[in-house]
Amino acid sequence: MSTCPYKIFYWNCAAGLLGKWDVIKYWIDTERPDIFYISEADIHSGMNLDLFAVPGYKIDTCNTLDIYGKSRMICWYRNFFNRDDELEYPGNEILVLRHKKNVIVGLYRPFKCFEGETIRLNFERLINNLGDICVKSSHKNLLIVGDFNIHWGKNGWMLGQLEDWADRFVLSQIINENTRSRMVNGSLQSSLIDLAFTNFSNVLVTLDHQHLSDHVLIKLSGSNYRSRWIKTKVNYYDWRLYNPRVLCQKVSETLISPQRQIVDPDQINDHIVNTINSILNDMVPKRTTTLRDNNAVINPVIQNLKNRKARYYKKWGQNKTVENFNKLKLVSAKLNTEIKKERRRLSVAGVTDPNRFWNTINSLMGRNLAQKIEIKDDQGLIHSDPATLADMFVSFFINKIEALDMICPIQSEDICFDRVEHEIFFTEQEVEKAIQGIKPNKAQGIDEIPGRVIRDLGVTIVKYLTWLFNTVLYKGIIPKSWKISKIVPVFKKGCRKTISNYRPVCNISSISKVFEKALVNKIESLFDRKLVNGPVQHGFLSGCSTITACLTIQDFIACELDYGNVVLMYSADLSAAFDMLRPDILVKICRKKGFPESLCRIIYSFLSDRVGFVDMNGYPSILKRIPIGCVQGSVLGPRLFNIYTSDLDSIIGPDFFKLSYADDSYVAISCPIEQYEVYRTKLVAIAEKHFRWLKSLGMVVNPAKTEYIVFHKSSLSIIKWDPLLIDSCHIFPTKNLKILGVWFSSCLDWNTHVDTAIKKANSMIYALRYLNSKLTRSQFASLIHAHFLSKLTYACQVWSASLSSLLKKRLESCFFKVVRLLCRDFKGLINRQELIDKSGMLSLRSIFLARDAKLLHKLCTKLFPDPLVERLMSQCHILSRRENRLYFYDYSHKKIGRSSFTNRSKYIAELIPFEWIHLNEQLFNTKIKNSLPQFMKL
């Protein structure tokens, strides 16, 4: 038998992890165990586990979280362990970890059994599971620790089965003293319920009694245990010598002046990129450092200072001169200063920089939290090596495109371009505008030039980029380096170990981003917005959003239901829509719209002959050709997709309502209930035409996300709920349709959406309670708006006006949970109106009305080309003695009609207590925020 090479902790924290998290975090940071099991953690499906993430550790729960929506066991373990969930029986609170030939098992047996299960069956299932683990681990070292919930003097048959199991597999029981003591009916009861069994030799056991729980903290380790520090190499840029003025001066001195005789875009681009990079190499050197366990306080600068201090200390030990001592003293002072700075940065309450504050908050809330990626292959093996993962991802992404291409094959055609004059060109003002539109903090492409550097160069580089871009337009060829995409897998949702749950997002070169931005601006200036994007598209357009799209749909449905009609609607969702865009078809569409030939040639060159690779922590995959499609993450890509699908309005026809948001499209028609069957047939016919058109574009409709719904005022027996048969695909009817994050029910009662919103908001309350004592009140109020109200009131302009009194009460109850946290009224002694006054927040009703007013002002002042705006302005009149105000008619007949935005506009406009049509958006938002509270009391 070998000695246990790990340090393992087990603790039954008693009734919930949340209140003990600070203590657990302290133990992990100071003791650095290899495995830390916590039972009775009470983890619910809505709880954000990333809140409890610890750098250098994985975090996991037992499989009951997926089965029953609740888990009573959680575990932190070091990165060299892998979970073996195949050895875990369903329903058991158990976690099995492997490393080499060692198996570590943590378990918890709850008193309460599942429905229809006896205590005996519950315990026998656990023993059978442990027996199976021992059989499959017969040639491995094994350690099992957990709370078996067996008391002295009771359950003798349980003790007998447990002893038989341990004897059968030659396991030693290494805890023989009482592990739980508590007062029962006035007397002290001691029990041996936290047990450990192993076939390791010389396992040291320490039982640490804690006042936070009536269970002990169990510490297990080998007699010769040595702490394992995982060393990781980190690449970073040292910005300490960076000076924008010096950079601009050196770049202007080094770049050659624009010369017309150089007409090769690749040569010009390489000259600009190499010049900037050569200067950046001196000003912003790329360094490599080694970190231990990804300690949050040790950044690369601190690690370098620690290494320098160690070297100076060694020199001073060999030669104790004054010079060496002064060097050691100086570097020690710098190290202490940097550590204090980093600790202040990581202390949330002490952060003054907004960017750093929200980066820290988002990490604590689970957003943008970098996690080590592990992927399970077809054989069930888990891979975490970056080089292996890079090849797996690039093969999966390319194979997915090729598989979809085989489902909907389109014969590609060779496009011939006529020799034309230089039809379009960029001015320096247009290029400068595009440079200022680049986001400085976005990831860089293969040119390794950050967007921040491009922005800082600004006027210095604008004439060189204008020369490059006009050369590209003249030649009609995109530089080859712009077509190389660095693909980064971005997690969507679901299981993180499933490769299909990742989306390929491409990082392209910074100069290519400037060119694409300038080209988008040029297209917008040359062509009408409706012509380019289509009249029904709401995605990727300024002024449009998911809110305007949902509101347009809701307004149409509510108005039709108000007239006594029913509305038949289907949704079409596309699989990997961007990846299926065909360059030759897009060029034909552009020519139909009157695009210049040189612009068509640039678009075709931009989409053709692209290649990409996946980069995982500095380990690049092999370079693979991207057969078709437009890369996700480009600036030009969304606009090209809008052009590609801009004919939806003409395909569907004027008799149908239609709306698109990116690759999601919704088609509906209204009719009297007596003509339901006739119009159902019409809807099927138009859907078949719609799907054939998408197929002609090479798009693949996703049948799993394509749904059909009938909106009506009440349950009607005449409506058939049979599925629609469209293009050999059955589309099943549903009573709730999710449209861009908003749940539309068949009778617009919004029950499902409110339930979902409250569930999402409640999932944040655990994190808010944790941060409540660590933030100032203003910071905590900002956190409530960003992470709580954003979920509770999402798209409230669509649904808030038609809620029942019961739903309003439920929303207010959820809302006041966090208001009481903000006011620290933990015992509920303050009434709701006093809470609103004390917190300084708007009431929920005021929030709804303020957002309605802001949206009305936005629609009336910017006049988007949208059916909602057209309907809104048709109900508007300005005949009044008071200028700078708009008045609206209300044409509704019933309650459901008054919930439409066009009919609500009369009430909203009358509510605004000042003249508003002449105000800009910022000034209007300020005035409405200050005016509403005095009119809208609870």
Side-chain angles (χ1 to χ4, degrees), residues 490-548:
V490 176
F491 176 71
K492 296 183 291 186
K493 59 182 179 180
C495 177
R496 289 185 179 270
K497 296 180 181 179
T498 304
I499 196 169
S500 59
N501 291 333
Y502 288 81
R503 171 187 291 117
V505 175
C506 299
N507 294 332
I508 55 180
S509 63
S510 298
I511 296 180
S512 176
K513 291 179 183 178
V514 179
F515 175 78
E516 293 175 41
K517 187 69 177 176
L519 196 60
V520 168
N521 295 339
K522 177 67 75 174
I523 293 173
E524 289 181 346
S525 64
L526 292 176
F527 301 99
D528 180 68
R529 178 169 170 166
K530 280 189 177 181
L531 177 69
V532 174
N533 303 288
V536 298
Q537 179 63 257
H538 281 249
F540 315 121
L541 298 176
S542 61
C544 294
S545 64
T546 57
I547 307 297
T548 61

Side-chain angles (χ1 to χ4, degrees), residues 142 171 628 857 890:
L142 183 65
L171 297 176
I628 55 175
H857 175 267
D890 180 2

Side-chain angles (χ1 to χ4, degrees), residues 613-851:
F613 66 96
V614 172
D615 182 82
M616 296 293 296
N617 302 327
Y619 292 88
S621 70
I622 56 176
L623 201 64
K624 284 208 172 187
R625 178 180 174 271
I626 302 175
I628 55 175
C630 183
V631 293
Q632 299 185 44
S634 67
V635 180
L636 184 59
R639 199 53 50 94
L640 295 182
F641 181 81
N642 283 357
I643 297 172
Y644 198 70
T645 57
S646 59
D647 292 335
L648 175 65
D649 183 58
S650 59
I651 294 296
I652 301 300
D655 298 333
F656 290 80
F657 170 87
K658 53 271 179 187
L659 183 138
S660 293
Y661 190 91
D663 60 335
D664 296 327
S665 54
Y666 305 91
V667 179
I669 189 170
S670 64
C671 66
I673 185 60
E674 297 81 10
Q675 301 181 26
Y676 168 76
E677 285 296 334
V678 176
Y679 280 83
R680 185 175 184 270
T681 305
K682 288 184 178 181
L683 189 71
V684 172
I686 205 66
E688 290 178 346
K689 183 180 179 182
H690 182 193
F691 287 9
R692 284 197 301 270
W693 171 69
L694 290 174
K695 194 173 183 180
S696 68
L697 295 177
M699 298 290 177
V700 178
V701 178
N702 186 356
K705 294 184 179 180
T706 302
E707 296 178 302
Y708 161 66
I709 190 171
V710 179
F711 293 98
H712 52 82
K713 290 185 295 184
S714 59
S715 58
L716 301 172
S717 58
I718 193 173
I719 294 177
K720 282 189 176 181
W721 300 106
D722 299 332
L724 302 182
L725 182 60
I726 302 175
D727 195 20
S728 302
C729 176
H730 285 85
I731 302 179
F732 291 91
T734 180
K735 294 188 177 181
N736 293 286
L737 179 63
K738 189 177 183 180
I739 301 177
L740 304 175
V742 179
W743 284 97
F744 283 69
S745 58
S746 57
C747 54
L748 291 188
D749 58 8
W750 307 110
N751 287 327
T752 303
H753 180 78
V754 171
D755 289 341
T756 305
I758 291 175
K759 184 177 180 181
K760 288 182 178 179
N762 281 334
S763 68
M764 293 290 104
I765 291 181
Y766 293 102
L768 293 173
R769 287 176 180 167
Y770 169 75
L771 292 169
N772 188 22
S773 61
K774 303 181 182 299
L775 301 178
T776 63
R777 294 304 87 193
S778 60
Q779 289 175 336
F780 192 69
S782 301
L783 181 61
I784 289 173
H785 283 280
H787 285 276
F788 181 83
L789 287 179
S790 61
K791 292 177 172 57
L792 190 67
T793 63
Y794 170 71
C796 62
Q797 301 94 323
V798 179
W799 49 265
S800 63
S802 54
L803 297 179
S804 65
S805 58
L806 177 61
L807 293 180
K808 290 179 182 177
K809 289 180 180 178
R810 292 184 59 201
L811 285 170
E812 288 182 353
S813 177
C814 182
F815 170 70
F816 278 105
K817 286 182 183 178
V818 294
V819 179
R820 292 191 186 278
L821 285 177
L822 178 61
C823 298
R824 293 181 173 170
D825 177 32
F826 304 115
K827 296 184 178 180
L829 302 178
I830 307 176
N831 66 47
R832 291 186 171 184
Q833 186 58 56
E834 291 176 349
L835 284 172
I836 291 296
D837 296 337
K838 184 177 179 180
S839 66
M841 296 181 65
L842 294 175
S843 66
L844 205 57
R845 187 184 175 199
S846 297
I847 291 173
F848 292 158
L849 289 172
R851 293 190 184 180

Side-chain angles (χ1 to χ4, degrees), residues 277-445:
N277 275 328
S278 62
I279 297 171
L280 283 179
N281 286 337
D282 296 329
M283 299 184 65
V284 190
K286 189 174 183 180
R287 304 187 187 280
T288 302
T289 188
T290 302
L291 300 183
R292 289 182 173 183
D293 275 357
N294 297 326
N295 193 323
V297 179
I298 301 179
N299 59 32
V301 175
I302 292 176
Q303 187 65 43
N304 282 339
L305 288 173
K306 287 170 70 69
N307 295 340
R308 287 174 58 190
K309 180 180 178 181
R311 290 196 299 269
Y312 288 145
Y313 185 81
K314 184 177 180 180
K315 288 182 180 179
W316 180 72
Q318 295 172 350
N319 186 6
K320 295 188 177 182
T321 63
V322 176
E323 181 183 1
N324 287 336
F325 179 77
N326 289 335
K327 287 181 179 180
L328 177 62
K329 187 177 179 181
L330 181 62
V331 75
S332 296
K334 287 183 178 180
L335 176 61
N336 293 334
T337 302
E338 288 294 332
I339 291 176
K340 289 179 181 178
K341 285 182 181 179
E342 187 68 6
R343 282 178 175 162
R344 282 198 301 269
R345 185 185 74 81
L346 293 174
S347 175
V348 181
V351 175
T352 56
D353 180 20
N355 290 331
R356 288 186 172 182
F357 170 76
W358 285 111
N359 286 338
T360 307
I361 286 293
N362 288 334
S363 297
L364 291 171
M365 301 295 289
R367 293 185 179 179
N368 304 323
L369 189 67
Q371 292 189 356
K372 185 177 180 180
I373 297 178
E374 294 182 332
I375 298 298
K376 184 181 292 188
D377 61 15
D378 297 335
Q379 285 75 33
L381 300 177
I382 296 177
H383 300 276
S384 58
D385 177 57
T388 305
L389 289 178
D391 290 334
M392 289 177 64
F393 272 114
V394 75
S395 299
F396 170 75
F397 292 144
I398 301 301
N399 292 340
K400 180 181 178 181
I401 298 174
E402 293 174 348
L404 290 173
D405 189 26
M406 293 177 63
I407 294 175
C408 188
I410 298 291
Q411 186 66 35
S412 60
E413 300 180 15
D414 293 331
I415 303 295
C416 298
F417 296 97
D418 300 329
R419 185 66 181 176
V420 294
E421 297 295 329
H422 195 190
E423 299 169 310
I424 58 174
F425 61 92
F426 293 115
T427 63
E428 290 188 4
Q429 291 75 18
E430 291 174 333
V431 176
E432 185 177 359
K433 180 182 177 182
I435 291 174
Q436 296 306 314
I438 296 299
K439 297 180 180 179
N441 296 325
K442 291 294 183 180
Q444 60 207 29

